[in-house]
Amino acid sequence: MLLRAAWRRAAVAVTAAPGPKPAAPTRGLRLRVGDHAPQSAVPADTTAAPEAGPVLRPLYMDVQATTPLDPRVLDAMLPYLINYYGNPHSRTHAYGWESEAAMERARQQVASLIGADPREIIFTSGATESNNIAIKTESHSIAQAGVQ
């Protein structure tokens, strides 16, 4: 909530500032970034005046480097980024216990969304680790199938 409020204040300050506004790109796509709305691509050559509130930005194509964060995710994660930041694998103190409980709740939520057993949900640090687990698991399955 605090970060979203700061973002909103900055966006209002930019739009309310006197003087010429930055020129919008004339080609390509722009993103309409609203508060709780998903980002949607809009053509850059529209002649209609921009709506009050949303900010039009160039379409960001380098999602390998970083991705936009949905404000609902920020709201859900903020307590764990500020107050409950313990290592979920450290089971000797309250910080670890709180984080482990949060991870198990998240595991249950993901499993129920996709119809899986919570023990099948593995959280990784990124794409490389996920790919390695998938390849090694499949290689192991193929090796076991060949032995039987």
Side-chain angles (χ1 to χ4, degrees):
M1 292 293 261
L2 295 173
L3 293 175
R4 277 204 350 247
W7 181 85
R8 269 195 227 110
R9 282 193 304 273
V12 168
V14 168
T15 56
K21 303 291 183 235
T26 57
R27 296 174 30 171
L29 294 175
R30 291 182 289 168
L31 287 179
R32 186 175 312 280
V33 181
D35 194 11
H36 277 285
Q39 295 183 354
S40 59
V42 295
D45 58 349
T46 57
T47 56
E51 300 167 1
V55 178
L56 294 178
R57 301 193 59 194
L59 183 61
Y60 185 72
M61 300 293 287
D62 188 14
V63 292
Q64 289 289 81
T66 187
T67 57
L69 183 64
D70 187 293
R72 295 168 294 186
V73 174
L74 177 61
D75 287 346
M77 285 301 300
L78 206 51
Y80 301 100
L81 298 172
I82 295 174
N83 296 321
Y84 306 108
Y85 47 81
N87 181 345
H89 302 292
S90 296
R91 296 182 177 162
T92 58
H93 50 74
Y95 291 101
W97 301 331
E98 293 165 343
S99 295
E100 182 182 26
M103 289 288 295
E104 290 308 315
R105 279 193 305 276
R107 193 180 315 278
Q108 289 281 347
Q109 289 173 339
V110 170
S112 68
L113 281 173
I114 64 172
D117 186 293
R119 294 172 294 183
E120 295 175 299
I121 306 301
I122 301 170
F123 296 112
T124 64
S125 63
T128 302
E129 186 179 0
S130 298
N131 291 340
N132 285 334
I133 288 173
I135 291 168
K136 289 178 181 180
T137 302
E138 187 60 26
S139 300
H140 182 70
S141 298
I142 292 170
Q144 282 188 339
V147 171
Q148 294 177 359

